[in-house]
Amino acid sequence: MPVTLPSCGVYERPEDAHRLFEGYDPRRALFLDRDGVINADHGYVHRPEDTEWIPGVFNLCRVAIDVGALIIVVTNQAGIARGYYSEQQFLDYTGWVHGQFASHEIVLQATCYCPHHPDAPDPALRLCSCRKPLPGMILEAARRYRIDLGASALLGDKPWDVQAGQAAGVGLNLRFDPNAMAEPGVVRTMQEAGQVLHRFFE
């Protein structure tokens, strides 16, 4: 019999779980990586006091909101698998992040997270179907929220973010790198990302 690999976890704030946009079915979405896109990647960030928002990320999210797209975070969380913090600590922190966005009138529909890693001390956390560059988190979100992946966009800061989006069939896959040379598929500021997203979502 085929082996079923573990899939991702999904966090939703209870007060936001029902706030799906009406009139956009199937829906479009903006998929965001977390560390390096939403917050600066200081390494295994899981506490509010270690959080530094990427400049312009809230305005970027408003571009998606203005066209009725859902905003969904898709994040590898090797820190859980490695034992640097518990899954509950991650969920508590994620709830805080969702609350911070809500204070800017931005609903993060969900955070899909992969708690697995090939080097995890626990063998049960080594294999999965969701760790990017695998597309499992994106496909789970598409199933859950009836997302039209071809009409959706993804922004990540690592090649495996883009690879996951491409494997899932996401229509626009961008890599955020403030230090990159100008090249197709790469944006260097959130303002530039917003402009590309605006053209794509028109």
Side-chain angles (χ1 to χ4, degrees):
M1 294 179 62
V3 176
T4 301
L5 295 176
S7 59
C8 66
V10 179
Y11 172 87
E12 290 181 319
R13 283 204 327 164
E15 55 266 52
D16 292 333
H18 69 285
R19 295 182 63 180
L20 292 174
F21 293 95
E22 300 298 332
Y24 296 90
D25 191 7
R27 300 172 174 90
R28 295 181 288 182
L30 171 60
F31 295 97
L32 296 176
D33 180 44
R34 199 194 75 177
D35 300 309
V37 173
I38 289 176
N39 56 274
D41 189 356
H42 296 310
Y44 303 105
V45 174
H46 63 285
R47 301 183 302 177
E49 57 266 35
D50 298 328
T51 303
E52 176 188 354
W53 304 120
I54 297 294
V57 69
F58 298 115
N59 287 335
L60 174 77
C61 290
R62 292 188 182 98
V63 173
I65 289 173
D66 287 347
V67 298
L70 303 179
I71 302 172
I72 298 175
V73 181
V74 285
T75 174
N76 287 349
Q77 287 297 314
I80 298 173
R82 294 179 184 274
Y84 296 158
Y85 44 88
S86 69
E87 188 165 4
Q88 188 57 55
Q89 286 175 305
F90 166 78
L91 292 172
D92 290 344
Y93 174 69
T94 300
W96 177 83
V97 170
H98 280 233
Q100 293 297 300
F101 273 74
S103 72
H104 287 80
E105 300 184 340
I106 296 167
V107 174
L108 298 180
Q109 186 61 45
T111 291
C112 300
Y113 62 96
C114 171
H116 312 102
H117 191 276
D119 297 330
D122 182 351
L125 294 176
R126 291 177 187 167
L127 295 177
C128 69
S129 61
C130 53
R131 180 173 170 80
K132 293 177 288 185
L134 295 175
M137 288 187 281
I138 299 170
L139 295 177
E140 172 60 23
R143 181 193 68 79
R144 225 173 240 256
Y145 304 115
R146 302 190 305 278
I147 292 169
D148 181 348
L149 290 173
S152 298
L154 176 144
L155 178 64
D157 70 317
K158 300 291 193 301
W160 49 82
D161 296 319
V162 171
Q163 291 163 7
Q166 291 170 337
V170 174
L172 175 68
N173 296 280
L174 299 174
R175 184 167 61 86
F176 173 63
D177 184 350
N179 301 311
M181 301 291 289
E183 59 179 288
V186 176
V187 292
R188 292 170 289 182
T189 66
M190 287 294 164
Q191 181 180 10
E192 183 181 358
Q195 291 168 348
V196 176
L197 285 175
H198 179 75
R199 291 194 295 269
F200 176 75
F201 281 137
E202 277 186 335

